[in-house]
Amino acid sequence: MTSRSLILPLLAFGLAASALRAEEGMWTFDNLPTKAIQAKYGWAPDQAWLDHVRLSSLRFPGASGSFVSKDGLVLTNHHVGRNWVQRLSSKDNDLLKNGFSATTREQELKVPGLELVTLVAMEDITARVAKAVKADASEKEALKARETEIEKIKKEMQEKSGLTCEHVTLYQGGEHWIYSYRKHTDVRLVFAPELQVALYGGDFDNFTYPRHSLDITFFRVYENGKPFQPKDFLKWTETGVKAGDLTFVTGHPGRTNRQDTFAQMTYSRDFAIPSRLKGLERRKAALLEYGKTSTEAARQVSSQIFGIENSMKAVTGYWSGLKDKEAMARIKADEKAFRAKVAKDPKLEASAGLSWSKIEGATKAAQKLAKDAQNVGTANSTLLGYALSLVRIANEEALPSEQRLPEYSDANLKNAKTRLGVPGPFYKEQETFLFTKGLEEAARELGPQHRFVKAMLGGKSAAEVAKAAVAGSKLQDPEVRKILLAGGKKAIADSQDPMILLARKLDPISRDLRKKQEEQVTSVITEHGTRIAKARFAVFGKNTYPDATFTMRLSYGAVAAYPANGTLIQPFTTFGGLFDRYDGWGGNEARAHEGAWILPQRWLDQRSALNPAMPFNFVHKVDTVGGNSGSPVVDKKGELVGILFDGNIDGLPGNYFYDEKVNRSVSVDARGIVHALDKVYGATGLVAELTVK
């Protein structure tokens, strides 16, 4: 990790626009800092430009992507598509290892379960939600009133528009929106490079720069059996970018915590993050242990292990920011100053004066409930997850919508049922192994007398329970799940599937825990986060951006070098640099450090055909976070100049605050993508589709 001194952070409570760094912010499309962009770069996007890039952008499960041709071609990262490529792989056809390239539309592979969405409309429902909460409502009553009204609005809007509607909370509850999406359910794999070049440098290079990764995958959206024809898609750049050029990123940053209270940050630093890292370590250890049982087992879990390693490195980086004493001292002082401003206003003091201490109390309650929250659940079992969903749907569907758990309301029930019918790979040995480990861990952490442990194990060993339940269950078959759903409450109640029997025991225990969490933690943080947000608006106005919420945002900034290791880090890497790294590690024969820097044979065969000066990856001053993976990088013309795939390790504390000096995002250069497709893969049809004028 490069050495650095953190620039003092964005205030935890939000600042006026004048105090924000120039490129800071993941901005919603209704509140862009166009004046600041215009002032610095002499140009700012207009509404037509914004609508075009928004409608060209897509949300993947957990990440981002974009339409890049008139025939529904979609670009995202290889690491975004990795799990889906893994689903299409088999013991005899490992698409992750060998890559995939369809030369005709008929060869494109349908990906079961993959759904993409386009943001079509956004509507502010803050006032309506506020009216639904009585002035004298308790925290619990307020939470329920908001949830009920939100689900009612979602249902109304979905029935009216036919779109998929989602509730979005911004500014810690200061605003409520409904985002309406067009869903794409027929998605097919077109191209994926070999994992070795997509993840070049492996976990060693992850969150670092300079990089040399072809982290791309192409899919295609179909509709009614034919390639979808999007009205908006991003044209491929003809010129590319150079150092100093302004770039924009549209995508779906997952989550930031820059507006958390000091107490929440302290809780994350001292308890939540260390606990999460321990959980990830245990999960990784279990997968590695299973992977050692056979070559096929290693193939099955390789993608999961990559994902966990990525999370561990990211979370460790977030943690480093919270452990910076100078930064945390400034956050504490800034919060104190904000509270003093609130105290001077009688109306704000009456509403929000106690909110910080209330939230601090909720974090203490969360810590007391944490062990149960981490261990009471489906214990790594996919089948038990299916079973619990079936049991809950049967129980919830019989209730009026407003009395159900939100995820099973009228607005959400159809999607919950649809997910249960999606086929996916199932490995009996892996399921048994991981379920055993999950039950053993729960018993170790909670103790043999805990209600959950007694219910799940019934006096037997974890291995016995897991083996019998997996062997006896039929829920791996999506048709069996569909039949049970169609049979309704009676069919599920009569089922003797061992996983459903376990789910019936788990459900009341899980519901009781959820009730405690909502009463002691969720309702308190929701209510008082909203009060603090309203106070923030009253003091500072709406001149800043909300924390990331895995919803559409726009970030901007120039291609730029940055200081590290006593020098400057270059803005671009090249194909020549890729082979320099390869040669420097001794080539394929050396296989240094688990072969992180070896190359697929086809790259070696075509080495002389490649232009060593061709740009490969680049860094730019755009404010992004996990979830932005796969985001299109566009220029002022609205053309695609790259695809974002990572951030530098120096920027990981950006989950809590932004450092303009070294915070950089890392992208694959559009010119390098076309060069590789043409010279290495001979994907002439794909190149022609991307570059057609």
Side-chain angles (χ1 to χ4, degrees):
M1 179 177 179
T2 54
S3 61
R4 57 174 288 192
S5 175
L6 291 175
I7 301 297
L8 295 179
L10 165 73
L11 304 189
F13 54 79
L15 290 175
S18 60
L20 298 176
R21 282 83 179 176
E23 287 81 14
E24 179 181 345
M26 302 166 208
W27 298 88
T28 55
F29 273 63
D30 65 290
N31 186 37
L32 292 172
T34 51
K35 291 183 180 179
I37 298 172
Q38 179 71 45
K40 181 164 184 178
Y41 295 101
W43 180 90
D46 59 17
Q47 193 59 50
W49 188 97
L50 292 170
D51 289 344
H52 173 64
V53 298
R54 171 175 56 81
L55 292 169
S56 299
S57 300
L58 290 161
R59 191 179 74 189
F60 272 73
S64 305
S66 60
F67 284 120
V68 290
S69 88
K70 66 179 181 61
D71 289 325
L73 191 66
V74 171
L75 174 64
T76 191
N77 290 145
H78 187 276
H79 76 265
V80 172
R82 185 180 300 150
N83 286 335
W84 303 102
V85 175
Q86 174 89 332
R87 284 178 173 232
L88 297 173
S89 298
S90 65
K91 181 179 180 181
D92 299 321
N93 188 20
D94 190 344
L95 302 183
L96 282 181
K97 179 181 178 181
N98 302 320
F100 175 80
S101 181
T103 57
T104 66
R105 301 282 167 85
E106 290 73 26
Q107 292 177 351
E108 295 173 359
L109 302 178
K110 189 168 184 177
V111 188
L114 178 55
E115 295 182 347
L116 312 181
V117 296
T118 307
L119 178 60
V120 175
M122 301 163 283
E123 185 169 331
D124 188 349
I125 61 167
T126 306
R128 183 171 169 183
V129 172
K131 289 179 181 177
V133 181
K134 295 180 180 179
D136 59 348
S138 67
E139 293 157 349
K140 180 182 176 182
E141 291 169 341
L143 178 65
K144 184 62 179 177
R146 289 191 189 95
E147 289 179 344
T148 300
E149 186 65 19
I150 287 164
E151 293 305 316
K152 180 181 177 181
I153 297 170
K154 280 174 59 178
K155 183 182 179 183
E156 290 174 3
M157 295 182 68
Q158 284 187 171
E159 290 176 348
K160 182 179 179 180
S161 67
L163 300 170
T164 298
C165 296
E166 295 181 3
H167 167 237
V168 176
T169 302
L170 301 175
Y171 301 100
Q172 314 298 83
E175 289 185 353
H176 295 271
W177 290 70
I178 295 293
Y179 281 17
S180 299
Y181 297 91
R182 177 170 183 171
K183 185 179 290 187
H184 309 282
T185 58
D186 186 350
V187 185
R188 307 184 191 185
L189 178 64
V190 176
F191 173 86
E194 304 90 339
L195 176 63
Q196 189 60 46
V197 73
L199 187 67
Y200 194 69
D203 190 53
F204 297 105
D205 277 5
N206 194 21
F207 293 112
T208 69
Y209 188 80
R211 293 288 292 279
H212 304 84
S213 295
L214 190 66
D215 196 347
I216 62 165
T217 296
F218 287 96
F219 294 92
R220 193 183 307 279
V221 168
Y222 280 71
E223 192 173 76
N224 299 320
K226 298 179 180 180
F228 176 62
Q229 306 287 308
K231 180 183 176 183
D232 291 274
F233 65 91
L234 300 175
K235 293 182 179 179
W236 209 265
T237 180
E238 294 183 19
T239 59
V241 288
K242 61 183 182 300
D245 281 355
L246 175 62
T247 64
F248 295 87
V249 170
T250 60
H252 302 81
R255 182 182 178 184
T256 55
N257 301 88
R258 297 176 184 181
Q259 293 175 348
D260 277 6
T261 66
F262 182 77
Q264 287 173 293
M265 290 190 182
T266 301
Y267 169 74
S268 295
R269 181 194 65 197
D270 297 344
F271 184 78
I273 289 180
S275 296
R276 184 180 177 191
L277 286 171
K278 288 178 183 177
L280 289 169
E281 286 278 12
R282 289 193 292 264
R283 175 75 172 175
K284 179 182 174 182
L287 290 169
L288 287 171
E289 185 178 345
Y290 174 73
K292 291 177 181 178
T293 61
S294 70
T295 302
E296 169 59 12
R299 184 194 69 80
Q300 292 171 14
V301 299
S302 63
S303 184
Q304 296 179 61
I305 292 171
F306 289 140
I308 290 174
E309 289 176 340
N310 180 74
S311 294
M312 290 172 64
K313 203 166 186 179
V315 172
T316 300
Y318 305 157
W319 197 19
S320 70
L322 293 178
K323 291 191 286 187
D324 184 281
K325 293 181 180 179
E326 184 182 9
M328 291 297 282
R330 176 58 67 92
I331 289 173
K332 186 175 183 179
D334 289 337
E335 181 173 285
K336 183 179 179 180
F338 178 35
R339 293 178 70 173
K341 291 180 182 293
V342 170
K344 290 179 180 179
D345 185 317
K347 186 176 180 180
L348 293 180
E349 175 64 19
S351 172
L354 296 177
S355 291
W356 285 270
S357 59
K358 290 281 189 178
I359 288 175
E360 184 175 8
T363 64
K364 293 177 180 178
Q367 186 167 343
K368 291 179 181 178
L369 295 170
K371 186 170 283 190
D372 277 14
Q374 292 162 1
N375 293 283
V376 173
T378 56
N380 299 333
S381 170
T382 299
L383 296 181
L384 185 53
Y386 290 146
L388 185 61
S389 293
L390 287 165
V391 168
R392 286 191 168 169
I393 286 174
N395 292 330
E396 296 293 310
E397 196 169 16
L399 300 171
S401 182
E402 65 272 11
Q403 294 180 23
R404 299 178 200 162
L405 297 174
E407 59 266 35
Y408 300 110
S409 68
D410 284 344
N412 299 324
L413 186 60
K414 182 180 178 181
N415 285 339
K417 289 183 173 182
T418 299
R419 286 192 295 271
L420 279 171
V422 175
F426 177 78
Y427 308 107
K428 182 178 178 180
E429 294 80 8
Q430 181 188 146
E431 176 78 4
T432 303
F433 184 92
L434 294 179
F435 192 23
T436 300
K437 289 292 184 182
L439 291 173
E440 288 176 345
E441 183 178 327
R444 183 172 57 251
E445 293 294 316
L446 300 175
Q449 297 306 310
H450 192 280
R451 180 185 175 192
F452 171 76
V453 176
K454 292 172 72 174
M456 291 293 102
L457 299 185
K460 299 178 182 179
S461 71
E464 288 178 286
V465 171
K467 184 177 180 180
V470 174
S473 181
K474 305 296 183 185
L475 297 184
Q476 68 271 19
D477 185 346
E479 295 305 316
V480 170
R481 303 195 296 268
K482 290 178 183 178
I483 290 170
L484 285 169
L485 275 176
K489 190 170 184 176
K490 185 177 187 306
I492 295 170
D494 291 344
S495 174
Q496 294 302 300
D497 188 291
M499 286 294 182
I500 287 183
L501 297 180
L502 286 174
R504 289 194 200 121
K505 297 177 182 178
L506 169 59
D507 188 33
I509 302 171
S510 179
R511 286 176 184 268
D512 287 348
L513 173 60
R514 179 169 175 160
K515 183 179 179 181
K516 290 179 183 177
Q517 290 175 308
E518 288 183 348
E519 291 178 349
Q520 300 176 34
V521 183
T522 308
S523 64
V524 178
I525 291 176
T526 300
E527 174 63 28
H528 291 283
T530 298
R531 295 186 184 196
I532 291 172
K534 290 179 179 178
R536 184 184 300 121
F537 288 152
V539 173
F540 299 105
K542 187 182 171 182
N543 294 319
T544 189
Y545 57 93
D547 267 320
T549 55
F550 193 48
T551 51
M552 177 67 77
R553 302 293 178 89
L554 185 141
S555 301
Y556 68 94
V559 177
Y562 66 97
N565 298 328
T567 185
L568 285 176
I569 305 298
Q570 77 241 34
F572 292 92
T573 63
T574 64
F575 280 71
L578 167 72
F579 285 102
D580 178 71
R581 199 134 170 83
Y582 167 82
D583 292 333
W585 281 106
N588 285 3
E589 294 74 20
R591 300 193 68 82
H593 298 283
E594 304 170 357
W597 293 283
I598 65 174
L599 281 170
Q601 187 59 44
R602 78 174 86 204
W603 280 77
L604 301 179
D605 294 342
Q606 298 301 320
R607 182 172 183 174
S608 62
L610 292 166
N611 177 2
M614 178 65 68
F616 202 162
N617 295 166
F618 65 89
V619 285
H620 44 147
K621 294 177 68 173
V622 287
D623 192 1
T624 63
V625 73
N628 272 119
S629 291
S631 293
V633 183
V634 298
D635 60 13
K636 293 190 291 185
K637 293 184 289 186
E639 293 181 348
L640 186 134
V641 297
I643 174 174
L644 190 142
F645 74 96
D646 207 356
N648 61 346
I649 202 162
D650 309 80
L652 286 174
N655 191 62
Y656 293 96
F657 45 80
Y658 179 78
D659 182 344
E660 66 172 343
K661 190 174 182 181
V662 295
N663 207 100
R664 295 291 185 275
S665 294
V666 187
S667 296
V668 188
D669 195 295
R671 293 165 293 185
I673 294 172
V674 168
H675 194 57
L677 290 173
D678 182 27
K679 302 299 183 182
V680 179
Y681 295 97
T684 54
L686 190 54
V687 171
E689 183 175 359
L690 291 171
T691 58
V692 64
K693 295 181 181 179

